[in-house]
Short mmCIF file of all heavy atoms in Angstrom, two decimals:
data_model
loop_
_atom_site.label_atom_id
_atom_site.label_comp_id
_atom_site.label_asym_id
_atom_site.label_seq_id
_atom_site.Cartn_x
_atom_site.Cartn_y
_atom_site.Cartn_z
N ALA A 882 8.60 -50.03 -86.81
CA ALA A 882 9.96 -50.35 -86.38
C ALA A 882 10.65 -49.12 -85.79
O ALA A 882 11.42 -49.25 -84.83
CB ALA A 882 10.77 -50.89 -87.54
N SER A 885 8.80 -48.31 -82.37
CA SER A 885 8.98 -49.38 -81.36
C SER A 885 10.01 -50.38 -81.87
O SER A 885 9.66 -51.49 -82.28
CB SER A 885 7.64 -50.05 -81.11
OG SER A 885 7.75 -51.06 -80.16
N PRO A 886 11.31 -50.03 -81.81
CA PRO A 886 12.35 -50.90 -82.38
C PRO A 886 12.49 -52.25 -81.66
O PRO A 886 12.99 -53.19 -82.24
CB PRO A 886 13.62 -50.07 -82.26
CG PRO A 886 13.32 -49.01 -81.28
CD PRO A 886 11.86 -48.79 -81.28
N ASP A 887 11.99 -52.35 -80.43
CA ASP A 887 12.09 -53.60 -79.69
C ASP A 887 10.94 -54.55 -80.02
O ASP A 887 10.98 -55.73 -79.59
CB ASP A 887 12.11 -53.36 -78.19
CG ASP A 887 13.38 -52.66 -77.75
OD1 ASP A 887 14.42 -52.83 -78.44
OD2 ASP A 887 13.35 -51.94 -76.75
N SER A 888 9.94 -54.07 -80.75
CA SER A 888 8.84 -54.98 -81.11
C SER A 888 9.37 -56.04 -82.04
O SER A 888 10.46 -55.93 -82.61
CB SER A 888 7.68 -54.21 -81.75
OG SER A 888 8.11 -53.58 -82.94
N GLU A 889 8.60 -57.09 -82.23
CA GLU A 889 9.07 -58.20 -83.05
C GLU A 889 8.16 -58.40 -84.24
O GLU A 889 6.94 -58.26 -84.13
CB GLU A 889 9.10 -59.48 -82.21
CG GLU A 889 10.13 -59.43 -81.10
CD GLU A 889 10.17 -60.71 -80.28
OE1 GLU A 889 9.14 -61.39 -80.16
OE2 GLU A 889 11.26 -60.99 -79.77
N PHE A 890 8.77 -58.69 -85.37
CA PHE A 890 8.05 -59.00 -86.60
C PHE A 890 8.13 -60.49 -86.86
O PHE A 890 9.19 -61.10 -86.65
CB PHE A 890 8.65 -58.27 -87.81
CG PHE A 890 8.44 -56.78 -87.81
CD1 PHE A 890 9.08 -56.01 -88.76
CD2 PHE A 890 7.60 -56.15 -86.92
CE1 PHE A 890 8.89 -54.63 -88.80
CE2 PHE A 890 7.40 -54.78 -86.96
CZ PHE A 890 8.05 -54.02 -87.90
N PRO A 898 10.46 -64.98 -84.35
CA PRO A 898 10.29 -63.55 -84.59
C PRO A 898 11.65 -62.83 -84.69
O PRO A 898 12.66 -63.29 -84.14
CB PRO A 898 9.51 -63.10 -83.35
CG PRO A 898 9.79 -64.11 -82.32
CD PRO A 898 10.06 -65.40 -83.02
N ILE A 899 11.64 -61.71 -85.37
CA ILE A 899 12.84 -60.90 -85.57
C ILE A 899 12.55 -59.50 -85.01
O ILE A 899 11.47 -58.94 -85.26
CB ILE A 899 13.20 -60.80 -87.07
CG1 ILE A 899 13.45 -62.19 -87.64
CG2 ILE A 899 14.42 -59.91 -87.27
CD1 ILE A 899 13.60 -62.23 -89.14
N ARG A 900 13.52 -58.94 -84.27
CA ARG A 900 13.34 -57.58 -83.76
C ARG A 900 13.08 -56.63 -84.91
O ARG A 900 13.69 -56.72 -85.98
CB ARG A 900 14.57 -57.14 -82.98
CG ARG A 900 14.59 -57.61 -81.56
CD ARG A 900 15.77 -57.09 -80.83
NE ARG A 900 15.88 -55.64 -80.96
CZ ARG A 900 16.34 -54.85 -80.02
NH1 ARG A 900 16.74 -55.34 -78.89
NH2 ARG A 900 16.41 -53.57 -80.21
N ALA A 901 12.19 -55.69 -84.69
CA ALA A 901 11.76 -54.77 -85.76
C ALA A 901 12.90 -53.98 -86.34
O ALA A 901 13.00 -53.83 -87.58
CB ALA A 901 10.69 -53.83 -85.21
N GLU A 902 13.82 -53.48 -85.51
CA GLU A 902 14.93 -52.69 -86.04
C GLU A 902 15.84 -53.52 -86.97
O GLU A 902 16.30 -53.04 -87.99
CB GLU A 902 15.72 -52.03 -84.92
CG GLU A 902 16.46 -52.99 -84.04
CD GLU A 902 17.23 -52.26 -82.94
OE1 GLU A 902 17.54 -51.08 -83.08
OE2 GLU A 902 17.51 -52.92 -81.92
N TYR A 903 16.08 -54.79 -86.60
CA TYR A 903 16.90 -55.65 -87.44
C TYR A 903 16.19 -56.00 -88.75
O TYR A 903 16.82 -56.09 -89.81
CB TYR A 903 17.30 -56.93 -86.71
CG TYR A 903 18.09 -56.70 -85.46
CD1 TYR A 903 17.92 -57.47 -84.33
CD2 TYR A 903 19.02 -55.67 -85.37
CE1 TYR A 903 18.65 -57.26 -83.18
CE2 TYR A 903 19.76 -55.43 -84.22
CZ TYR A 903 19.56 -56.23 -83.13
OH TYR A 903 20.27 -56.02 -81.99
N CYS A 904 14.90 -56.19 -88.64
CA CYS A 904 14.11 -56.49 -89.84
C CYS A 904 14.15 -55.31 -90.81
O CYS A 904 14.32 -55.48 -92.01
CB CYS A 904 12.69 -56.82 -89.43
SG CYS A 904 11.69 -57.51 -90.75
N LEU A 905 14.01 -54.09 -90.28
CA LEU A 905 14.05 -52.91 -91.11
C LEU A 905 15.42 -52.74 -91.77
O LEU A 905 15.51 -52.45 -92.97
CB LEU A 905 13.68 -51.66 -90.30
CG LEU A 905 13.60 -50.36 -91.07
CD1 LEU A 905 12.55 -50.45 -92.17
CD2 LEU A 905 13.29 -49.21 -90.13
#
Side-chain angles (χ1 to χ4, degrees):
S885 180
D887 293 333
S888 62
E889 295 181 330
F890 289 172
I899 301 171
R900 277 183 53 146
E902 65 181 338
Y903 300 144
C904 191
L905 184 59

